[in-house]
Structures are given as structure tokens and as C-alpha cells.
Amino acid sequence: RAGEAMVRGVVSANLSGAVPQIKASLSGDRLDLDTLLGGSAGASLASGAGDGASGWSDAKIDFSALKSVNAELNLGVEQLSYGTIKAGPINVRANVAGGKLKVELPNFQLYGGVGTGVLAVDATGKRPVQAFRFSLSNLDAYPFLDAVASFQRIEGKAAIAVDLTANGASQLAMVSALAGTASFEFADGAIRGINVAKMVRNLSSATLSGWQEGEAEKTDFASLGASFKIAQGKAQTNDLHLNGPLVRMAG
């Protein structure tokens, strides 16, 4: 038990060999990562850790711990919280062996959406290699974006897919080598704060200044999305689109 978080289950360890062998199977009703990490999770989100103003760190990340233990972990919780983000039910399978880490999320629920994810790290070579795959469908976009980034401009159901690889032993090295694909698609939603169709109609009778924003204004859409190709840390899309009953845009 740590604060209000509690897990229960079985843990076994074999310490007789050169490399400790650990197995754990745990379950819980609620797991608060803020409590387990001493409040650092919420603080990181609140302070915008990794903020572009300071740039990515070139401090070396120590992956040697992946070679010092072999471990298998199965964890299932009804609710997982990290800062302002709430998820669950969620199942996690993690395996560490011979300098390789694999973390699988075979199924989880997040703000009405259902997803899967895999994170892998291979530290057996001179340059650690990382891979990340993540997919999520039917996500309720507005409360999720509000919780993650205090972004309150888009509502609708979202589908997200990410398939990335990287290599390096620092944030800067990994981001600079980032490659893969990503996509997002919002459906049956709206852009909050502006009504593009109304603004265009008003052009016939008045001169407009700026975007004519207002808290009660909305631009409804049937779909809003894009797919990205990522290479050497740079992402590019050629199919950005917004389709609605009164507005269609591409870019």
C-alpha cells in the first residue's frame, strides 16, 4: 500500500545466480503513479517537462539496469492515474531479460476509448534501440486533451495510431533518430471557439477583423485528421483534411 494505492498478488525471486530472477503477478483496484513516484508524475505534467524552450536533454540515460536483472511482471488495475490522466481497466505485461525490455498493454480503456500498446528497448548493443507502437479508437477527445494539455479546442471521437523507432542514449539522440508513422482522425466533432461558416457569411455584410473568436462558437465537422511520415525526428503530412457540412479544407 502507498497512500490510497494498493496492489495485491504474488512475487517470487531467485537470487542464487549471477543475475537475479524476479516474477510478479499483481492486481489492484486503483493505482496512483503520483503517489508511487513521490508526486513527480503530476509535477512533470504541470511544469511541461521536455518543453521545447529548453530543448531535448543530451544527458546520457543509463540503460545498464536492463542487464542487471531478469524479471516478468503482470499487473492489472481497474483504474490507473498519472497526474490529471485517468485510465482503466488496464493490463500491463513487462519482461526484462539479457538487456532487453518489452512492455505490452494488450488492452486498456482511456476516456471511452479502447487501445493497445507495446514499448521495447534493446540495450544489448553499443547504441540502445527503442520501439513504440500504440493504437487507440473511439477516444472521447475533449476531456482527454483537456486533461493532458489543457487544450479545449477540439471535441469528437478520435482514433490514434503511432508506430515509431529510435536509437540513442539521450533524449536528444532518440528524438533526432525518430522514424516511423503516425496518424490521427477525429470524427463527428467540432472546433470550439470559432464558427468559420458564420464568419464567411458575415463577409457579405461587414468587414471582419481577426478570426471572430467566441466561447460559444463552434465549427462542426464530420472528420478532421492527418497521417504523418517521420524521419530523423521530423514529421510531415500531405493529407491534412477537415470535412464538414459547411466547411471543407485540405493542406
Side-chain angles (χ1 to χ4, degrees):
R1 181 189 297 272
E4 296 182 2
M6 185 178 76
V7 295
R8 61 191 70 83
V10 178
V11 179
S12 62
N14 182 349
L15 309 179
S16 61
V19 178
Q21 308 279 335
I22 300 173
K23 292 184 178 181
S25 181
L26 305 170
S27 63
D29 299 322
R30 181 174 182 269
L31 185 61
D32 186 345
L33 293 184
D34 285 318
T35 301
L36 294 179
L37 300 176
S40 60
S44 296
L45 287 173
S47 63
D51 177 317
S54 58
W56 297 102
S57 172
D58 61 358
K60 187 175 181 180
I61 300 171
D62 186 3
F63 289 96
S64 62
L66 299 182
K67 301 177 182 179
S68 62
V69 64
N70 292 337
E72 294 179 17
L73 168 67
N74 286 284
L75 171 66
V77 293
E78 289 301 309
Q79 185 185 71
L80 179 73
S81 60
Y82 179 85
T84 55
I85 302 173
K86 310 295 182 185
I90 185 169
N91 295 297
V92 181
R93 295 198 299 255
N95 184 280
V96 180
K100 295 181 179 181
L101 165 69
K102 186 175 185 180
V103 180
E104 297 177 273
L105 302 175
N107 60 77
F108 66 92
Q109 296 183 25
L110 179 68
Y111 291 88
V114 178
T116 63
V118 177
L119 169 68
V121 178
D122 184 345
T124 57
K126 293 182 178 180
R127 191 174 177 87
V129 177
Q130 303 84 23
F132 177 66
R133 294 196 311 274
F134 174 87
S135 64
L136 186 65
S137 61
N138 207 40
L139 173 73
D140 194 353
Y142 180 79
F144 174 71
L145 293 173
D146 186 27
V148 172
S150 298
F151 184 75
Q152 302 172 335
R153 289 293 189 178
I154 293 180
E155 59 185 56
K157 294 295 184 178
I160 302 169
V162 176
D163 189 349
L164 300 173
T165 60
N167 60 78
S170 71
Q171 289 182 0
L172 180 60
M174 287 187 283
V175 171
S176 299
L178 204 60
T181 59
S183 65
F184 68 85
E185 188 78 25
F186 297 95
D188 300 323
I191 299 175
R192 298 165 63 109
I194 183 170
N195 188 325
V196 175
K198 178 182 175 182
M199 184 178 68
V200 172
R201 286 196 301 268
N202 288 343
L203 277 172
S204 62
S205 60
T207 300
L208 301 185
S209 175
W211 279 94
Q212 307 294 298
E213 295 177 286
E215 289 299 320
E217 302 290 356
K218 287 186 179 182
T219 298
D220 293 329
F221 60 76
S223 63
L224 167 64
S227 61
F228 296 85
K229 291 184 178 180
I230 304 164
Q232 296 181 330
K234 299 176 183 179
Q236 179 175 337
T237 179
N238 292 311
D239 61 2
L240 178 65
H241 58 274
L242 168 64
N243 296 319
L246 299 173
V247 179
R248 289 180 179 271
M249 301 173 65

